[in-house]
């Protein structure tokens, strides 16, 4: 019984070591968005039409 339990723990440790580390997450700073995605993003964070227009202009000027 103890041998079964230990083999279960060892197999769990071997399987869990195969998952990627948090350091392997890509950097999302250099993503280019389509016009539709920019509009959706700006609409979700702003409700005023002037703020949406400013957000779109700012995003396009930044890239």
């Amino acid at each position: 019984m103890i041998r079964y339990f230990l083999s279960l723990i060892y197999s769990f440790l071997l399987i869990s070591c195969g998952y990627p580390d948090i350091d392997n997450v890509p950097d999302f700073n250099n993503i280019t968005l389509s016009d539709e995605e920019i509009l959706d993003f700006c609409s979700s964070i702003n409700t005023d039409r002037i703020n949406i227009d400013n957000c779109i202009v700012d995003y396009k000027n930044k890239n």
Side-chain angles (χ1 to χ4, degrees):
M1 181 70 180
I2 293 175
R3 207 176 268 185
Y4 175 73
F5 181 70
L6 288 177
S7 65
L8 184 64
I9 289 176
Y10 290 138
S11 63
F12 175 72
L13 288 174
L14 286 175
I15 291 171
S16 65
C17 291
Y19 290 104
D21 191 15
I22 191 73
D23 296 332
N24 295 336
V25 176
D27 184 15
F28 293 107
N29 290 336
N30 298 328
I31 294 178
T32 55
L33 299 176
S34 67
D35 289 340
E36 184 178 315
E37 291 169 333
I38 295 170
L39 180 62
D40 185 42
F41 171 73
C42 291
S43 298
S44 67
I45 62 172
N46 295 309
T47 55
D48 189 19
R49 182 69 187 160
I50 295 172
N51 289 338
I52 293 173
D53 291 338
N54 290 338
C55 175
I56 292 171
V57 170
D58 289 343
Y59 183 82
K60 288 186 177 186
N61 288 337
K62 183 174 74 170
N63 291 333

